Amino acid sequence: MSSMRSHKLVLFFAISCLLLHEKCTDASVCKESERKALLEFQHSLQATGVSGIDALFWKSEECCQWLGVYCSSFTGYIEMLDFSHQLRVVAGTISPSLLKLHHLTALNFSSNDFNGSLIPEFFGSLKKLKLLDLSNANFRGPIPSQLGNLSMLETLSLGGNGRVFNVGKLEWLSHLSRLKEVDLGFTNLSNANDWSQVISHLPLLQKLNLRDCDLPSISSSSLSLANSSTSLTYLDLSDNNLPSSAIYPWLFNVSSNLVSLNLSSNKLKGPIPEAFGNMKAIQELYLNDNLLVLAENQVRGDSGLNAIGKLPDFRVLDLGYNLLNGSISKSIGQLSNLHVLRLAGNSFGGDVISEGHLSNFTNLQVLDSSYTSLTLKFNTGWIPPFQLSQINLCSCKLGPGFPDWLRTQMEVLNPDVEISSIEYLDISASGISDSLPYWFWDKFQGLSYINMSFNQISGTFPTHSIDISHLDLSSNNFSGPLPHFSLYDGLIGSINLSKNKFTGSVSPICNFTGAVSLTLFDLSNNLFSGVVPDCFGSFPFLQALNLGDNSFSGSLPSSLGSLVSLEMLSLRGNKFSGVLPSSLQNCAELKFLDLSDNELSGEIPMWIGQKLSSLVFLSLQGNQFSGRIPHQLCGLKYLQILDLSVNKISGTIPPCLNNFTSMVKKVSLDRRIELHLLDKPYVESLIDVRYVDEALITWKGKKQNYPQLGLLLAIDLSCNKLRGEIPEELISLQELVALNLSRNFFTGNILQKIGHLRQLEVLDLSRNKFSGNIPTSLSELTFLSILDLSYNELSGKIPTSTQLQSFDPSSFSHNRGLCGPPVSPNCSMVEPPPGKPAVGGEEDSDDQFMKWFYIIMGLGFVVGFWGFCGVVFFKRSWRHSYYRYLDSAKDWVYVSFVLLETRLVRRIKGVSTRSGLIRTATEGDISCT
């Protein structure tokens, strides 16, 4: 009987195989036809991963074992290709050989790089696809309407491709009736006037992301055709500039089952609608970055927020960066189930938050009231009922004492690992002027982000190692030596201790644990000293290093050249000496290089212009550099600020300055050189660190920090030994804002076409040897606010213009041949300069005067001395008369002295003590004469 059953099973399996046209072999064996199709697909790709595409999954015979390839465990056919987050792929086109994979149901290319390729139209022929994910893969061009043929599709994700757009309407999307998830974020849908109708007619749709799609407003006709959806639970319409009148009617009709709604960064105006309270399933509501206000009844808690507060599962409320003002009612505590409360960026005008506002938030995990000027004032000893994981109170008023209630948020949850629940703490610019409590460094273990900058907090670091990912204590009063830091593995790290009073050596940096993670390191404006250790090879991913304004000495460490990811390097205001290490040329990503105010010497290296081609800011000011300006510097086409002032540079200005593209024509410039670090150590927290290294430049006669580099294009070559004429090519720099060539030895005429530099605000050519007339084109510089042509050899009439005549006469002083306003009323009142005009600047005039003074004084001495001595020597009667005169004069002085002494002795006789004192004083007076 059992034998009969087994025969029937074998027969059934055989018939099934025949009916399905399958080969009854091991399902794990790769199908040869599909293997060939994948190999064809491989030829159109070029991997940029560490090991290369061949090493990753193209070697073995079994294609089902290749990385990213998934086969059916029953049939052996390829059902899924998933290359997301596994390697970086660059492809001009994707091979249509994928059409030979007839059983393909999922295709995922997300988070790759297809280098601006078009989305292939043949994807619309993969009829069995249920998932198509091309998000964040650098595609461009139109969305193929052929995708509307994928009738089996359940998930469509094209988001994150900023150059992808839809041509015309979204009608093709309505054919995909099985869709459950759609992500078109960051694609251009500006012509899709039917988007709301299409969305309303997708009956199974659960998640929809249309963030930053430039969506058109919803028409009234679309509203009449909209159906109420019972399936949509997640909706993101943020960053679309949709007005309230367009979005509210459609929104409150389209779904009653929304769990998460994101309307941030639109144009929502007016009070918060009560209709949000009808969304019974809503848990997350993001309304930040709009123009919402609190109506008077909402301030009292009678509407809007009150309606939302009654929702049983409401967990996330984000009202940040609106126009909310007035006072916050204690009735906000009705939102007792809140996990996340964000009120950041509103204008509550110094309102006071007490424990009464927060006592009902037993589930609160994230509190963000940054940039609201709120005052948090709690009774001493108050213990909050919540345990926060993120605290962002930047620019709130917490001081002057250090808030003691924070101690309760840093309690250790697991004594075995000593990690507290809090991960993120920002109390910067909060008015604290107190010493850091003793318990802080013991409690803070587990924090990944600490920002206490811009306070007046004092204290020192503990002796034990500090575990941290991001630490910002800048602009405080911390002191003591640099501690040992231990950075968390696998996370990017940043340490900013600038503008404090730390002292001693920085040698502990060589012992940092996890230094490989460090991307930002700022120790500037402290009291550190000594030699900087040569151990920067331990920081391979460092992008910003600032050791400026300390007292470091010695030569620059050669290991700086190992920082191949470095974009910002500032070592200004120290005592570094010697030549620039050649290893610095390896830092090819550098945009900001400030070595000013040191004691560096040698010639300016040619490799700065050859290897550091990304430089935007270059300052070697205030050093001992000599030699000529290398013409290779002209290769810095992105340069916006060049400062070589106060050195010993000689020679002429290279004529190739017109290669500074940023100064030649109007281009899109970096407004600031900013390091933007995004770190996501936990799913629920996103750490955003922005760092700007300000340029210290001499602007309008004063040294000042200047963060907005894109607004300033400047060349400063002042206080050197440069000679020759200004090259004509300088006129090409038509976007130049400041030019300083003062205190050199330039000769010749001022460029006749200097008026072509229409953006000039500062022009300083003083203390040179320029001659000739002032060009009339100078009067065309309407933005000019600082002009100095003094101490030259200029002549002729000063050109007439409202701009030039408004300057102080000192701007033209010590040019003997200049006339006309503002130097003189007119040229007829000025005598022509006698002979050759005076040379150069004030220093040259003083040198000429002193030279002639010493010559005349020497001649006078020789004539007077030898004239008298010659007469006395050769005429005997004059010689005897002169000697008798000297004898008589000596006798007269002696007699007068004796008589004076006798009178004094007679007057003070009998007062021996005083006599002794007076005699001592008298003798002293005589010796001083």
Side-chain angles (χ1 to χ4, degrees):
M1 191 70 176
S2 61
S3 176
M4 182 68 69
R5 288 178 179 174
S6 63
H7 281 86
K8 289 182 179 180
L9 288 173
V10 171
L11 181 62
F12 174 77
F13 183 70
I15 294 173
S16 299
C17 288
L18 290 174
L19 291 175
L20 295 172
H21 302 283
E22 303 284 0
K23 294 181 180 179
C24 298
T25 56
D26 186 1
S28 64
V29 176
C30 176
K31 309 300 180 184
E32 184 61 25
S33 61
E34 295 190 333
R35 183 176 182 276
K36 290 181 178 179
L38 282 181
L39 290 176
E40 289 182 40
F41 169 67
Q42 171 198 2
H43 292 315
S44 66
L45 302 179
Q46 180 181 1
T48 59
V50 176
S51 303
I53 200 166
D54 290 334
L56 285 172
F57 58 85
W58 298 120
K59 287 289 186 180
S60 67
E61 293 293 325
E62 297 300 330
C63 61
C64 290
Q65 297 178 8
W66 291 350
L67 187 64
V69 179
Y70 299 87
C71 300
S72 169
S73 59
F74 178 68
T75 65
Y77 285 107
I78 296 173
E79 293 185 339
M80 177 188 294
L81 295 180
D82 185 358
F83 303 136
S84 61
H85 305 287
Q86 294 182 7
L87 69 157
R88 305 288 295 179
V89 178
V90 178
T93 56
I94 296 177
S95 171
S97 63
L98 294 181
L99 292 174
K100 298 177 182 179
L101 306 179
H102 301 294
H103 300 269
L104 195 65
T105 60
L107 185 60
N108 191 341
F109 284 128
S110 68
S111 300
N112 283 278
D113 185 358
F114 283 92
N115 199 27
S117 300
L118 298 176
I119 298 176
E121 294 181 355
F122 72 80
F123 280 173
S125 299
L126 299 172
K127 296 297 181 63
K128 291 187 178 181
L129 274 187
K130 295 183 179 180
L131 181 147
L132 177 61
D133 191 345
L134 307 179
S135 60
N136 301 298
N138 195 14
F139 284 103
R140 67 171 179 87
I143 301 174
S145 59
Q146 290 84 350
L147 296 184
N149 299 329
L150 302 176
S151 56
M152 304 290 290
L153 203 63
E154 297 178 359
T155 300
L156 174 63
S157 183
L158 306 179
N161 295 290
R163 294 182 289 171
V164 168
F165 57 91
N166 187 73
V167 178
K169 297 185 177 183
L170 272 179
E171 188 269 339
W172 61 268
L173 192 63
S174 62
H175 300 301
L176 309 180
S177 57
R178 296 193 180 190
L179 276 176
K180 296 180 180 179
E181 297 184 18
V182 175
D183 179 7
L184 299 179
F186 301 98
T187 60
N188 189 339
L189 304 180
S190 58
N191 295 320
N193 295 315
D194 60 339
W195 70 269
S196 58
Q197 296 172 239
V198 172
I199 298 305
S200 299
H201 289 84
L202 295 176
L204 303 179
L205 190 62
Q206 298 175 8
K207 295 184 177 181
L208 175 62
N209 182 3
L210 297 179
R211 179 183 180 186
D212 198 6
C213 291
D214 198 15
L215 293 175
S217 295
I218 302 171
S219 62
S220 56
S221 59
S222 300
L223 290 174
S224 62
L225 297 173
N227 295 328
S228 178
S229 171
T230 58
S231 59
L232 194 62
T233 58
Y234 175 94
L235 178 60
D236 188 347
L237 298 178
S238 60
D239 294 284
N240 278 292
N241 292 321
L242 292 170
S244 305
S245 58
I247 193 63
Y248 284 158
W250 177 82
L251 177 66
F252 296 136
N253 185 52
V254 75
S255 177
S256 58
N257 292 319
L258 279 176
V259 174
S260 177
L261 175 61
N262 192 340
L263 298 177
S264 61
S265 299
N266 280 287
K267 292 183 178 179
L268 307 183
K269 295 181 179 181
I272 300 172
E274 296 182 44
F276 283 122
N278 297 328
M279 297 180 177
K280 302 301 181 182
I282 197 76
Q283 296 181 10
E284 301 177 359
L285 181 58
Y286 301 92
L287 301 175
N288 53 293
D289 293 290
N290 280 286
L291 303 172
L292 296 172
V293 299
L294 285 179
E296 187 62 31
N297 57 349
Q298 289 178 323
V299 175
R300 297 196 305 268
D302 297 333
S303 181
L305 289 178
N306 190 27
I308 296 173
K310 295 178 181 179
L311 299 174
D313 297 320
F314 195 66
R315 297 181 180 180
V316 177
L317 178 61
D318 190 342
L319 297 174
Y321 299 96
N322 278 282
L323 301 177
L324 308 182
N325 53 23
S327 300
I328 300 177
S329 171
K330 291 183 179 179
S331 61
I332 196 174
Q334 293 178 359
L335 306 174
S336 56
N337 291 322
L338 272 186
H339 288 61
V340 177
L341 175 60
R342 289 196 175 96
L343 302 173
N346 287 288
S347 303
F348 293 112
D351 190 26
V352 176
I353 297 294
S354 64
E355 55 265 31
H357 291 82
L358 305 177
S359 293
N360 291 333
F361 293 142
T362 55
N363 298 310
L364 197 64
Q365 297 176 9
V366 176
L367 175 61
D368 185 356
S369 62
S370 56
Y371 305 106
T372 59
S373 299
L374 285 170
T375 298
L376 275 68
K377 191 173 183 180
F378 304 131
N379 291 327
T380 304
W382 178 63
I383 300 177
F386 44 76
Q387 198 74 38
L388 298 174
S389 61
Q390 296 182 43
I391 301 175
N392 193 343
L393 302 177
C394 172
S395 296
C396 290
K397 298 178 182 177
L398 307 180
F402 196 89
D404 191 62
W405 64 272
L406 288 177
R407 184 177 185 182
T408 64
Q409 304 303 298
M410 303 174 75
E411 294 296 334
V412 175
L413 295 183
N414 188 345
D416 295 331
V417 294
E418 294 189 350
I419 295 180
S420 62
S421 63
I422 190 169
E423 305 162 0
Y424 184 105
L425 174 64
D426 187 348
I427 53 174
S428 57
S430 57
I432 300 175
S433 55
D434 195 6
S435 58
L436 199 65
Y438 69 92
W439 47 262
F440 185 84
W441 294 118
D442 294 329
K443 295 282 187 181
F444 93 111
Q445 300 295 333
L447 269 169
S448 59
Y449 180 93
I450 298 177
N451 189 348
M452 296 191 289
S453 60
F454 294 98
N455 285 290
Q456 296 295 320
I457 302 174
S458 59
T460 58
F461 282 113
T463 54
H464 61 75
S465 177
I466 296 177
D467 298 333
I468 194 65
S469 181
H470 300 277
L471 177 64
D472 189 349
L473 302 180
S474 60
S475 300
N476 277 286
N477 291 322
F478 288 99
S479 58
L482 185 69
H484 177 270
F485 288 105
S486 179
L487 285 87
Y488 297 137
D489 291 335
L491 304 177
I492 61 174
S494 63
I495 297 175
N496 189 345
L497 306 180
S498 63
K499 298 178 182 176
N500 279 282
K501 299 176 182 177
F502 292 109
T503 56
S505 170
V506 293
S507 56
I509 66 174
C510 298
N511 300 317
F512 282 5
T513 305
V516 67
S517 304
L518 195 62
T519 54
L520 163 62
F521 193 32
D522 189 347
L523 300 179
S524 63
N525 287 276
N526 278 284
L527 303 174
F528 291 114
S529 59
V531 176
V532 176
D534 197 5
C535 58
F536 287 99
S538 303
F539 305 92
F541 298 110
L542 198 62
Q543 297 180 41
L545 174 63
N546 192 343
L547 304 179
D549 296 300
N550 282 282
S551 297
F552 294 117
S553 57
S555 57
L556 298 181
S558 60
S559 60
L560 286 173
S562 63
L563 305 178
V564 293
S565 301
L566 202 64
E567 297 181 17
M568 304 180 188
L569 176 60
S570 180
L571 304 176
R572 71 173 181 231
N574 284 284
K575 300 176 183 177
F576 290 114
S577 58
V579 299
L580 294 182
S582 59
S583 60
L584 267 182
Q585 62 186 297
N586 299 327
C587 304
E589 301 297 320
L590 267 179
K591 295 181 179 179
F592 185 100
L593 178 59
D594 190 348
L595 304 177
S596 61
D597 293 317
N598 280 284
E599 299 171 6
L600 299 169
S601 57
E603 295 188 355
I604 298 176
M606 293 183 292
W607 48 258
I608 291 182
Q610 295 170 331
K611 302 293 186 179
L612 308 184
S613 57
S614 298
L615 277 177
V616 175
F617 176 90
L618 173 62
S619 178
L620 304 179
Q621 178 263 335
N623 282 281
Q624 301 293 323
F625 288 107
S626 57
R628 305 175 68 89
I629 299 176
H631 67 86
Q632 287 83 0
L633 281 187
C634 298
L636 303 175
K637 61 180 180 179
Y638 302 112
L639 200 64
Q640 297 178 30
I641 295 180
L642 173 64
D643 190 349
L644 305 180
S645 61
V646 196
N647 279 283
K648 299 178 180 179
I649 303 171
S650 57
T652 60
I653 298 178
C656 54
L657 293 181
N658 53 1
N659 291 336
F660 292 158
T661 307
S662 297
M663 302 182 187
V664 171
K665 57 185 178 180
K666 190 178 290 294
V667 294
S668 178
L669 301 175
D670 292 326
R671 290 298 178 189
R672 57 177 63 195
I673 301 178
E674 181 178 60
L675 183 63
H676 190 194
L677 306 177
L678 282 176
D679 193 8
K680 197 170 184 181
Y682 305 96
V683 175
E684 64 273 12
S685 65
L686 177 66
I687 292 176
D688 186 354
V689 178
R690 295 179 182 271
Y691 177 79
V692 178
D693 198 348
E694 298 179 337
L696 181 64
I697 62 173
T698 302
W699 174 244
K700 296 187 177 181
K702 296 180 181 178
K703 272 195 174 184
Q704 53 186 296
N705 289 319
Y706 206 90
Q708 301 289 346
L709 292 186
L711 302 176
L712 177 62
L713 294 99
I715 295 178
D716 190 346
L717 305 179
S718 61
C719 300
N720 279 288
K721 299 179 180 180
L722 295 168
R723 298 180 180 275
E725 298 185 359
I726 302 177
E728 288 287 341
E729 289 79 4
L730 189 69
I731 300 302
S732 301
L733 308 181
Q734 297 189 19
E735 299 300 316
L736 197 63
V737 176
L739 176 64
N740 190 346
L741 303 180
S742 64
R743 298 175 184 271
N744 280 285
F745 299 98
F746 290 115
T747 56
N749 295 331
I750 298 175
L751 296 175
Q752 291 299 314
K753 297 181 180 180
I754 197 167
H756 290 188
L757 304 179
R758 298 302 176 91
Q759 304 302 320
L760 267 187
E761 296 182 31
V762 176
L763 176 61
D764 191 346
L765 303 179
S766 64
R767 301 176 188 276
N768 281 284
K769 299 181 181 180
F770 290 113
S771 58
N773 296 329
I774 296 177
T776 55
S777 65
L778 196 64
S779 60
E780 301 172 9
L781 300 179
T782 55
F783 294 119
L784 200 62
S785 58
I786 299 292
L787 174 66
D788 195 349
L789 303 178
S790 61
Y791 295 96
N792 278 287
E793 302 172 9
L794 300 171
S795 59
K797 183 181 179 181
I798 298 174
T800 302
S801 74
T802 305
Q803 192 77 8
L804 292 182
Q805 269 65 50
S806 65
F807 290 111
D808 190 88
S810 61
S811 298
F812 305 94
S813 66
H814 293 80
N815 288 279
R816 297 185 181 179
L818 284 180
C819 61
V823 173
S824 62
N826 53 65
C827 286
S828 62
M829 298 180 61
V830 180
E831 296 181 2
K836 187 179 178 180
V839 177
E842 183 181 31
E843 290 89 347
D844 296 331
S845 299
D846 291 343
D847 290 343
Q848 293 290 330
F849 173 78
M850 293 304 296
K851 181 175 70 175
W852 285 108
F853 173 77
Y854 288 130
I855 291 174
I856 293 172
M857 187 179 68
L859 290 174
F861 175 79
V862 170
V863 172
F865 178 79
W866 285 110
F868 174 77
C869 292
V871 172
V872 171
F873 181 77
F874 290 106
K875 196 167 182 63
R876 178 178 298 178
S877 60
W878 283 31
R879 183 167 64 248
H880 290 173
S881 298
Y882 175 65
Y883 290 150
R884 284 196 298 270
Y885 169 76
L886 290 180
D887 290 338
S888 300
K890 181 185 68 172
D891 292 340
W892 181 84
V893 170
Y894 174 76
V895 170
S896 298
F897 173 75
V898 172
L899 290 174
L900 179 61
E901 183 182 25
T902 303
R903 291 194 190 104
L904 289 174
V905 171
R906 189 175 300 158
R907 285 183 184 179
I908 62 176
K909 190 177 181 180
V911 190
S912 57
T913 305
R914 291 184 62 189
S915 174
L917 292 174
I918 292 174
R919 184 178 297 111
T920 303
T922 305
E923 292 171 356
D925 290 342
I926 294 171
S927 64
C928 289
T929 60

